[in-house]
Amino acid sequence: MVLLPKATTEQYSYIKNCMPTTFSSQIPLVDLSKPDAKNLIVKACEEFGFFKVINHGVPMDAISQLESEALKFFSMPLIEKEKAGPPNPFGYGSKSIGHNGDVGWVEYLLLTTNQEPNLSLYGKNPEKFRCALKSYTSCVKKMACDILELMAEGLKIQPKNVFSKLVMDKQSDSVFRVNHYPACPELAVNGENLIGFGEHTDPQIISLLRSNNTSGLQISLRDGSWISVPPDHSSFFINVGDSLQVMTNGRFRSVRHRVLANGFKSRLSMIYFGGPPLSEKIAPLPSLMKGKESLYKEFTWFEYKNSTYGSRLADNRLGHFERIAAS
């Protein structure tokens, strides 16, 4: 069993009267190989800010190899893992999420993707980890750009790379995160729901998530209710981020989501966060305005990223940049 440092479950947050194993059939499904993918993506982004994709083009070998290397890292003794931390901002972290008091039943690796990461402290075979990471992130970056271009086509805006060019840029501030949620046997006895990662939205443009076959992920609907996402290790789940919400002037909504710990099985998730260059100005696209009033003030990604450092996970971080209340 993997233990988190100084972690008695009394230090964490719980959710009462929650049924994390009651899965929802509402999650939109998009087959990226089908002609109607672009329209289904737009519909899903408008209604949920979240959808599942199949026929995504990422080889299962690339997925399995990186997952295997990540599990090897998290199975190491804590003293070895801590050599790769604390995250500043990249590296190994556990329990603490951010700098403002948020905690979760989680340990993680946060890595940059716009330059070769120094993986010398990441396990006994860092070169194997590096190769697996490079292969995987190359594939998911391509998928992110393909999806962003389908979004633009579905929105009927030109050029179709209006979103994807920000992720493709050499200065793109994209990051990669691996979250490991150890099984918590105490939950199996008490029947409680322990917070693994508290509710939040992702600040970037788009997030591409996949996990092993362990439950835990939940998303919030427009009415504030929560639904559990059925695990599927061979598919990807796509989140609209805050930046994309701004660029579409609120037409797409960044999805609020959280992870609950599992009493019986550990959960490993790998997330690619497609972000713009730090100097990029984020504002509603003129082609989507058509006489509508802008809901947001213009800001750079650097300004927005800095503002998130002073916030808690559950805060509405876009609130500082709203011109009028987003409906």
Side-chain angles (χ1 to χ4, degrees):
M1 186 196 325
V2 177
L3 297 177
L4 299 186
K6 303 177 183 177
T8 65
T9 54
E10 295 165 351
Q11 295 173 282
Y12 297 93
S13 299
Y14 293 82
I15 299 173
K16 302 295 183 183
N17 302 318
C18 179
M19 297 294 289
T21 54
T22 303
F23 299 121
S24 173
S25 59
Q26 296 177 258
I27 307 300
L29 173 65
V30 178
D31 184 337
L32 294 181
S33 69
K34 300 293 186 182
D36 65 345
K38 61 185 179 182
N39 298 319
L40 293 177
I41 288 173
V42 168
K43 188 172 186 289
C45 291
E46 291 175 338
E47 297 180 359
F48 289 84
F50 182 86
F51 55 96
K52 172 180 171 177
V53 297
I54 58 174
N55 287 323
H56 44 70
V58 180
M60 280 303 300
D61 280 353
I63 294 172
S64 300
Q65 287 172 15
L66 183 56
E67 183 176 273
S68 175
E69 291 305 309
L71 286 171
K72 287 177 187 176
F73 174 83
F74 288 119
S75 67
M76 294 195 309
L78 179 61
I79 191 170
E80 293 298 318
K81 290 184 287 190
E82 287 184 331
K83 291 178 181 178
N88 188 32
F90 303 111
Y92 171 78
S94 65
K95 191 175 85 168
S96 295
I97 303 170
H99 304 286
N100 300 298
D102 290 295
V103 297
W105 187 257
V106 64
E107 58 179 344
Y108 62 89
L109 285 173
L110 184 64
L111 305 169
T112 181
T113 65
N114 62 358
Q115 58 187 9
E116 282 285 309
N118 179 9
L119 297 177
S120 60
L121 300 174
Y122 293 79
K124 297 178 180 178
N125 194 338
E127 182 59 23
K128 192 173 180 182
F129 195 151
R130 188 193 68 79
C131 289
L133 178 66
K134 185 174 182 179
S135 174
Y136 181 88
T137 54
S138 175
C139 291
V140 292
K141 179 180 180 179
K142 180 184 183 303
M143 181 185 16
C145 292
D146 290 344
I147 290 171
L148 289 170
E149 291 185 3
L150 286 171
M151 283 181 186
E153 289 181 27
L155 289 169
K156 298 180 172 60
I157 55 177
Q158 292 291 337
K160 74 173 187 178
N161 71 341
V162 65
F163 302 127
S164 64
K165 67 181 181 182
L166 304 180
V167 177
M168 287 297 296
D169 194 292
K170 290 183 179 180
Q171 299 302 314
S172 164
D173 186 39
S174 298
V175 296
F176 181 70
R177 185 180 184 110
V178 186
N179 288 332
H180 178 240
Y181 304 90
C184 187
E186 185 176 314
L187 296 180
V189 176
N190 297 335
E192 294 180 292
N193 295 286
L194 175 64
I195 293 292
F197 208 110
E199 64 175 273
H200 64 287
T201 59
D202 295 336
Q204 289 89 353
I205 298 170
I206 190 174
S207 307
L208 284 71
L209 158 76
R210 58 90 39 208
S211 68
N212 60 359
N213 266 337
T214 303
S215 64
L217 178 62
Q218 296 188 324
I219 64 168
S220 177
L221 302 180
R222 288 290 184 95
D223 63 6
S225 62
W226 290 87
I227 59 173
S228 293
V229 178
D232 183 343
H233 73 286
S234 63
S235 301
F236 280 80
F237 294 93
I238 313 302
N239 293 0
V240 170
D242 294 344
S243 296
L244 187 57
Q245 176 172 319
V246 172
M247 294 177 75
T248 59
N249 203 37
R251 181 169 171 178
F252 290 177
R253 297 292 291 272
S254 57
V255 64
R256 188 163 287 268
H257 54 290
R258 67 189 181 193
V259 175
L260 305 183
N262 191 290
F264 300 97
K265 296 169 62 181
S266 66
R267 182 173 188 270
L268 185 85
S269 61
M270 306 192 298
I271 313 104
Y272 174 87
F273 299 96
L278 290 172
S279 60
E280 183 66 30
K281 293 180 179 179
I282 307 297
L285 296 176
S287 55
L288 291 177
M289 299 301 290
K290 296 180 181 178
K292 297 179 182 177
E293 187 173 356
S294 173
L295 299 178
Y296 304 98
K297 306 169 189 174
E298 183 180 88
F299 54 85
T300 65
W301 170 239
F302 177 80
E303 290 170 334
Y304 190 56
K305 191 175 179 180
N306 268 358
S307 76
T308 66
Y309 288 140
S311 64
R312 298 292 300 268
L313 271 179
D315 289 348
N316 173 22
R317 291 171 292 208
L318 277 176
H320 298 296
F321 301 93
E322 291 176 355
R323 288 188 184 278
I324 59 176
S327 58

